Amino acid sequence: MYGSVYRIRVPLGTDSIVVCDPKALSHLFALDTWKYSHPPLALLQITMLTGPGNLLVSLGESHNRHRKILNPLFAPAALKRYTSVMYDSAYKLSTAWESELQASATNEIMPDISEWINNLSFDIIGLAAFSTDFKSLDGEKSAVATALTAVGHAKPSPITSKIFLLAQAFPVLFELPLPRSTL
């Protein structure tokens, strides 16, 4: 009746529901997201990453108020202003790829473009949202990019991994000043 939806056991005897049905996911994420709350542990983790009181962790009326404020920023008329920023960045990426392919002797396919796409996204967000050119596509690393990369690539120690597993049942453990959370 509900498609691919099932319950799994997670650490320390708690349950988690996994939804794989496209129609159910569409309903959850596109239509009525404010009706469904995140598990308390997920809210705590998001709050630790992004800070309290933002759209990602707000629920109910607070979430509606946040969305009402932000919706005009994503209306088609507002997004048209950023078309030139996106086009210019995509052109810069295309030019960089062409020069890299011409520099290679074998004209082989580029093996990993994820770094390029990350840089493209970072430059577009910097220009459109903050009027700052991070110049990631030019190979420069800004302080913001360096900090975000450090957080993304930080490897948890074995002790931190065990504390993370225990924190599934005892969320207060997330408040410990571990190196990764401090970073």
Side-chain angles (χ1 to χ4, degrees), residues 80-183:
K80 283 182 183 177
R81 292 190 307 231
Y82 306 119
T83 304
S84 63
V85 169
M86 291 180 211
Y87 178 80
D88 291 344
S89 295
Y91 182 76
K92 190 186 287 187
L93 176 66
S94 170
T95 305
W97 281 355
E98 284 177 8
S99 64
E100 191 166 302
L101 286 172
Q102 287 175 355
S104 77
T106 59
N107 273 343
E108 42 183 72
I109 296 174
M110 295 173 67
D112 184 20
I113 63 166
S114 61
E115 182 77 21
W116 286 103
I117 299 302
N118 288 343
N119 290 340
L120 173 71
S121 302
F122 193 61
D123 278 358
I124 289 172
I125 291 168
L127 289 166
F130 305 110
S131 299
T132 301
D133 188 1
F134 292 123
K135 299 184 181 183
S136 297
L137 290 173
D138 297 332
E140 294 182 24
K141 286 288 184 189
S142 69
V144 175
T146 304
L148 289 173
T149 301
V151 170
H153 289 115
K155 301 283 187 237
S157 69
I159 292 172
T160 303
S161 298
K162 289 176 179 121
I163 290 173
F164 179 77
L165 286 174
L166 284 173
Q168 308 293 318
F170 307 106
V172 71
L173 294 175
F174 277 113
E175 302 298 327
L176 292 174
L178 300 171
R180 185 173 176 151
S181 60
T182 304
L183 179 62

Side-chain angles (χ1 to χ4, degrees), residues 35-79:
K35 287 184 181 177
Y36 305 100
S37 64
H38 294 291
L41 183 62
L43 289 174
L44 179 62
Q45 289 173 322
I46 294 169
T47 301
M48 288 177 60
L49 259 175
T50 61
N54 62 61
L55 179 65
L56 297 175
V57 294
S58 65
L59 301 170
E61 189 55 40
S62 174
H63 181 79
N64 287 342
R65 190 172 57 254
H66 277 103
R67 282 194 55 187
K68 190 180 284 188
I69 292 168
L70 291 173
N71 272 345
L73 297 173
F74 297 99
L79 291 176

Side-chain angles (χ1 to χ4, degrees), residues 12-29:
L12 300 170
T14 56
D15 293 335
S16 185
I17 298 203
V18 179
V19 180
C20 299
D21 181 60
K23 286 184 182 179
L25 288 171
S26 173
H27 175 75
L28 284 169
F29 292 119

